[in-house]
Amino acid sequence: MTTIKDVAKLAGVSPSTASRALHNSSLINSATRQKVLDAVEALDYTPNFAAQNLASKRVNTIGVILPVMKSESDEDLFYMQIMQGIVRMCNAHGYTVSLATGKTTDEVIHNVESLSRRGQLKRFIFVYSKKEDPVLEYLKKQAQVKYVVVGAAPDCHDQDLYSVDNDNVAVGQEATEFLLEKGYQNICYVYTDLNNHVQAKRYRGYQKAMKENDLPAMSLKMQVTDHDLNVRLFNHFMQKNPDCHGFVIVNDLIGIRMQQVFDILSLNEKQYGLITFDNTVLAELARPTLTSVELFPHFLGTESAALAMSLDQKESEQSYQMQRNIIVPHRIMERLSTPEYQSEK
Amino acid sequence: MTTIKDVAKLAGVSPSTASRALHNSSLINSATRQKVLDAVEALDYTPNFAAQNLASKRVNTIGVILPVMKSESDEDLFYMQIMQGIVRMCNAHGYTVSLATGKTTDEVIHNVESLSRRGQLKRFIFVYSKKEDPVLEYLKKQAQVKYVVVGAAPDCHDQDLYSVDNDNVAVGQEATEFLLEKGYQNICYVYTDLNNHVQAKRYRGYQKAMKENDLPAMSLKMQVTDHDLNVRLFNHFMQKNPDCHGFVIVNDLIGIRMQQVFDILSLNEKQYGLITFDNTVLAELARPTLTSVELFPHFLGTESAALAMSLDQKESEQSYQMQRNIIVPHRIMERLSTPEYQSEK
């Protein structure tokens, strides 16, 4: 089994530096982080996978809660990778993973409730995070139940929440800085739903980068499905902001939607810079291919599983000191959608 | 809860006709099938969802086996929808769903084995199907274990297999006939792996349609990731078959890969007809959008769950007569990738 020491050795850094790079400590410069992430990929390393002695004599089960199903979304791709990480980690430590989902919030709550009653399940992982989620509110009220939320670093919720997340403020900030370095100045943040914690935090990161460069922030809300409306929204935005050529876009799917709008309006794509998030298979399939921020969803899964399993242990038993809020790394994958800025003649 | 009677009423047909249309009986003409499928969508009907009295006093669990993880694939989108169907159906009937997967076949077998030992699990659903699968071979040898395979109608395996599938031979045949009706004659089947049962059956359907029209069959194997190789493979194929303008392509992802090859070679896309399968979110995102065959993966999930749960019941207890091999409907979603054939000047 690959350990953090192997990763450190290949990257030519100390094990503690490698570990800090993985948890995205701001003490580590980006070149070092890149070397460590390259080594992680080359060795197929999974953090915490074997580090813990979590197996117990009890039959243990972790409940995984999927969001209310939507049909038109690429989020499924991301959730599937998180879940594979969770299942792999849990299986390796003798834990069973049980799933709950539904077509409505009530159906999800009903299913979580019966899972908890039947299986006496007390440990859950939410693979999603949103404001005022009734499912989470329901679980909060249950005695002895503990849960880990993927995608919700603590400032959104209570301080004592267990969470696993990317540093989404840094993610938004770095994506914006990437466009600034390419020469773009008028940059817009494109989103679909600011009630989603992840989208809201990336927006904060974008605002931070713009402010530090004395540039005005602007935002554009787009639709996942309504194509004609997107064209109108974009036209309306461009009339007000004709100089805007850079776009920080909340996920790969909306990035492709933007490219489709450019197509319909016969805009020259080479004059625009688009950077998106999630680095799903869509980023490679877009035309031009999308520069996108890789978020290591498999690690989001393995780390949330490790955290959920550690909640079963008494503190004295813990062979590995768990943090309450775990941060997973990210990195920008440069592709063709971010050419150097060229001012119009 | 919506019943088949509601669907029949809205579609203006008898309940038995509606039921046959859903199971894709060849006795039903395509206009009637279309009316029934429209009603299914309008009413958000899920077959068998409430029809059965499957709840029992025992604590019951169904194990779901995911394939070995791949990173570059759109199959995840399809599996996720199947799983949501399974979880929804099982939860509604008081069953728990436990997951097994892994990064290698050995890891998957190990995890299935420990799931079965710990949880005394005897009922499994494979959400995938491939030739000589070691995981399936392992489960075959286990006493009292029964399983349902999604995507494997019985002619591939043993006759006594429990399966839920689309009629993939008909799917391949109808897709080919769709291109023939658009005026294409030189049509090629594009695949990545004929060891995959689904790809192999669609190929048989394609061959059948070509033979019935006295046209020669041809095929092209492409790669999921290696782009340069795809360009060379396509060039080599077109040198041998310069008149080929129609392509029946094994999934939406490879459809987009083909479009990228056309782009690189500066081919006029309007002279080619592309029809793909699965109708994932990718079909809508492609440029031009892809005509694709919708396969109702959510139904693949609910039906396989209903079948797996029925395996726990004694025959005398069964309130609903289960078939051993269930067929789920399909339909062609026409988009822009299949213009009428225009011969080159």
Side-chain angles (χ1 to χ4, degrees):
Chain A
M1 184 61 75
T2 309
T3 70
I4 191 71
K5 284 182 191 165
D6 303 319
V7 171
K9 199 173 167 191
L10 184 63
V13 301
S14 72
S16 64
T17 300
S19 176
R20 273 201 296 270
L22 269 180
H23 293 97
N24 217 38
S25 162
S26 52
L27 300 172
I28 307 294
N29 71 42
S30 68
T32 304
R33 208 169 75 196
Q34 189 62 44
K35 269 193 290 184
V36 172
L37 292 176
D38 287 346
V40 161
E41 270 190 355
L43 297 171
D44 196 16
Y45 169 73
T46 300
N48 296 335
F49 198 70
Q52 296 153 85
N53 181 23
L54 288 163
S56 100
K57 291 99 223 161
R58 289 160 287 173
V59 174
N60 282 316
T61 305
I62 304 279
V64 171
I65 304 171
L66 297 170
V68 169
M69 307 169 201
K70 281 179 260 179
S71 53
E72 277 277 349
S73 161
D74 72 333
E75 287 172 351
D76 282 354
L77 280 169
F78 204 69
Y79 293 139
M80 190 75 181
Q81 290 182 65
I82 295 174
M83 275 203 336
Q84 286 176 326
I86 294 172
V87 173
R88 202 174 166 237
M89 184 65 137
C90 285
N91 283 178
H93 290 93
Y95 272 67
T96 298
V97 176
S98 290
L99 286 181
T101 186
K103 271 208 170 177
T104 62
T105 303
D106 285 347
E107 204 180 300
V108 177
I109 291 177
H110 173 81
N111 292 337
V112 167
E113 198 239 337
S114 71
L115 203 61
S116 155
R117 193 162 24 80
R118 259 180 294 129
Q120 293 161 349
L121 229 77
K122 299 292 178 203
R123 301 293 172 257
F124 290 90
I125 299 171
F126 287 81
V127 300
Y128 67 98
S129 121
K130 64 172 190 178
K131 272 186 196 161
E132 289 156 25
D133 179 22
V135 185
L136 195 138
E137 294 304 319
Y138 165 81
L139 272 191
K140 248 186 204 169
K141 292 183 209 126
Q142 307 310 307
Q144 294 178 296
V145 165
K146 290 185 185 174
Y147 51 83
V148 175
V149 181
V150 176
D155 55 9
C156 298
H157 285 288
D158 14 349
Q159 286 295 324
D160 52 281
L161 188 78
Y162 294 95
S163 73
V164 177
D165 200 358
N166 301 99
D167 183 346
N168 275 302
V169 176
V171 161
Q173 183 171 2
E174 287 173 31
T176 311
E177 285 163 355
F178 184 88
L179 285 184
L180 289 166
E181 278 161 31
K182 291 280 180 188
Y184 297 89
Q185 291 218 316
N186 294 291
I187 300 172
C188 171
Y189 181 75
V190 182
Y191 66 95
T192 59
D193 178 11
L194 289 182
N195 278 321
N196 175 305
H197 285 135
V198 168
Q199 295 198 17
K201 284 202 209 158
R202 289 174 190 167
Y203 188 35
R204 292 226 318 271
Y206 156 83
Q207 288 172 311
K208 215 170 146 192
M210 295 302 275
K211 195 173 177 191
E212 282 175 9
N213 287 276
D214 289 323
L215 292 166
M218 43 194 164
S219 66
L220 169 59
K221 182 178 159 84
M222 287 189 61
Q223 303 291 319
V224 178
T225 48
D226 190 339
H227 218 51
D228 295 337
L229 181 56
N230 278 343
V231 173
R232 289 200 302 277
L233 289 169
F234 181 79
N235 264 333
H236 182 76
F237 174 82
M238 289 308 282
Q239 272 160 24
K240 286 191 170 179
N241 306 281
D243 296 331
C244 180
H245 285 77
F247 296 91
V248 175
I249 304 171
V250 87
N251 62 40
D252 300 320
L253 177 62
I254 302 298
I256 294 187
R257 290 291 183 211
M258 281 289 276
Q259 291 179 325
Q260 290 175 329
V261 169
F262 288 176
D263 241 24
I264 289 168
L265 300 175
S266 302
L267 295 173
N268 180 0
E269 291 178 326
K270 286 178 190 152
Q271 294 192 331
Y272 296 89
L274 273 58
I275 184 166
T276 62
F277 302 96
D278 296 356
N279 197 38
T280 59
V281 67
L282 298 183
E284 267 287 345
L285 296 176
R287 296 200 231 164
T289 54
L290 290 165
T291 296
S292 187
V293 187
E294 160 72 33
L295 300 167
F296 298 91
H298 187 76
F299 287 2
L300 287 171
T302 53
E303 295 280 351
S304 63
L307 186 52
M309 290 188 286
S310 78
L311 298 178
D312 275 348
Q313 299 184 301
K314 298 194 191 98
E315 265 180 51
S316 56
E317 287 174 2
Q318 286 182 8
S319 55
Y320 176 85
Q321 210 194 337
M322 263 341 224
Q323 300 160 269
R324 209 170 241 284
N325 308 110
I326 295 171
I327 294 295
V328 161
H330 61 266
R331 67 165 152 182
I332 294 173
M333 307 298 284
E334 182 170 0
R335 297 199 183 83
L336 302 178
S337 68
T338 45
E340 295 285 335
Y341 175 67
Q342 33 186 328
S343 62
E344 282 168 294
K345 303 285 131 64
Chain B
M1 183 62 74
T2 310
T3 69
I4 190 72
K5 283 180 191 165
D6 303 318
V7 171
K9 198 174 168 190
L10 184 62
V13 300
S14 72
S16 63
T17 300
S19 176
R20 273 201 296 272
L22 268 180
H23 293 97
N24 217 37
S25 163
S26 52
L27 300 171
I28 307 294
N29 71 43
S30 67
T32 304
R33 209 169 75 196
Q34 189 62 43
K35 269 193 292 186
V36 172
L37 292 176
D38 287 346
V40 160
E41 271 191 353
L43 297 171
D44 197 17
Y45 170 72
T46 301
N48 296 334
F49 197 72
Q52 296 152 84
N53 181 22
L54 288 163
S56 100
K57 292 99 223 161
R58 291 160 286 175
V59 174
N60 282 315
T61 305
I62 304 280
V64 171
I65 304 171
L66 297 170
V68 169
M69 307 169 202
K70 282 178 260 179
S71 54
E72 276 277 348
S73 162
D74 72 333
E75 288 173 350
D76 282 354
L77 280 169
F78 203 70
Y79 293 139
M80 190 74 181
Q81 290 183 65
I82 295 174
M83 274 203 336
Q84 285 176 326
I86 293 172
V87 172
R88 204 176 164 233
M89 184 64 137
C90 285
N91 284 179
H93 290 92
Y95 272 67
T96 299
V97 176
S98 289
L99 286 180
T101 187
K103 271 208 169 175
T104 62
T105 303
D106 284 347
E107 205 180 301
V108 178
I109 292 178
H110 173 82
N111 292 337
V112 168
E113 198 239 339
S114 72
L115 202 60
S116 154
R117 192 162 26 80
R118 257 181 295 129
Q120 294 162 349
L121 229 77
K122 300 291 178 201
R123 302 291 172 260
F124 290 90
I125 299 171
F126 287 81
V127 300
Y128 68 98
S129 122
K130 65 173 190 178
K131 272 186 197 162
E132 288 156 25
D133 178 22
V135 185
L136 195 139
E137 295 304 319
Y138 165 81
L139 271 191
K140 248 187 205 169
K141 293 183 207 124
Q142 307 310 308
Q144 297 178 294
V145 165
K146 289 184 185 175
Y147 50 83
V148 175
V149 182
V150 176
D155 54 10
C156 299
H157 285 288
D158 14 351
Q159 285 297 323
D160 52 281
L161 187 79
Y162 294 96
S163 73
V164 177
D165 201 357
N166 301 99
D167 184 347
N168 274 302
V169 177
V171 162
Q173 183 172 0
E174 287 172 32
T176 311
E177 286 163 355
F178 184 88
L179 285 184
L180 289 166
E181 278 161 30
K182 291 281 180 185
Y184 297 89
Q185 291 219 314
N186 295 291
I187 300 172
C188 171
Y189 181 75
V190 182
Y191 66 95
T192 58
D193 177 11
L194 289 181
N195 278 321
N196 175 305
H197 285 135
V198 168
Q199 295 198 18
K201 284 203 208 156
R202 289 175 189 167
Y203 188 35
R204 293 227 317 272
Y206 156 83
Q207 287 172 311
K208 214 171 144 193
M210 295 302 275
K211 197 174 175 192
E212 282 175 9
N213 287 277
D214 289 322
L215 292 165
M218 44 194 165
S219 66
L220 168 60
K221 182 179 159 85
M222 287 188 61
Q223 304 290 321
V224 178
T225 48
D226 190 339
H227 218 51
D228 296 337
L229 181 56
N230 278 343
V231 173
R232 289 200 303 278
L233 289 168
F234 181 79
N235 264 333
H236 181 77
F237 173 83
M238 290 308 282
Q239 271 159 25
K240 284 192 170 179
N241 306 281
D243 296 331
C244 180
H245 285 77
F247 295 91
V248 175
I249 304 171
V250 87
N251 62 42
D252 299 320
L253 177 62
I254 301 299
I256 294 186
R257 290 292 184 211
M258 281 289 277
Q259 291 178 325
Q260 290 175 327
V261 169
F262 288 177
D263 241 22
I264 289 169
L265 300 175
S266 301
L267 295 173
N268 179 359
E269 291 177 327
K270 286 179 190 152
Q271 294 192 329
Y272 295 88
L274 273 59
I275 184 165
T276 62
F277 302 96
D278 296 357
N279 197 38
T280 59
V281 67
L282 299 184
E284 267 286 347
L285 296 176
R287 296 199 230 164
T289 55
L290 290 165
T291 296
S292 187
V293 188
E294 160 72 32
L295 300 167
F296 298 92
H298 187 76
F299 286 3
L300 287 171
T302 54
E303 295 279 350
S304 62
L307 186 51
M309 290 188 286
S310 78
L311 298 177
D312 275 348
Q313 298 185 302
K314 297 195 192 100
E315 266 180 50
S316 57
E317 287 174 0
Q318 287 182 7
S319 57
Y320 175 85
Q321 210 194 336
M322 263 341 224
Q323 299 160 271
R324 210 170 240 284
N325 307 110
I326 295 171
I327 295 295
V328 161
H330 61 266
R331 66 165 153 183
I332 294 173
M333 307 297 283
E334 182 169 359
R335 297 197 183 84
L336 302 177
S337 68
T338 45
E340 295 284 336
Y341 175 66
Q342 34 186 326
S343 60
E344 282 169 294
K345 302 285 131 63

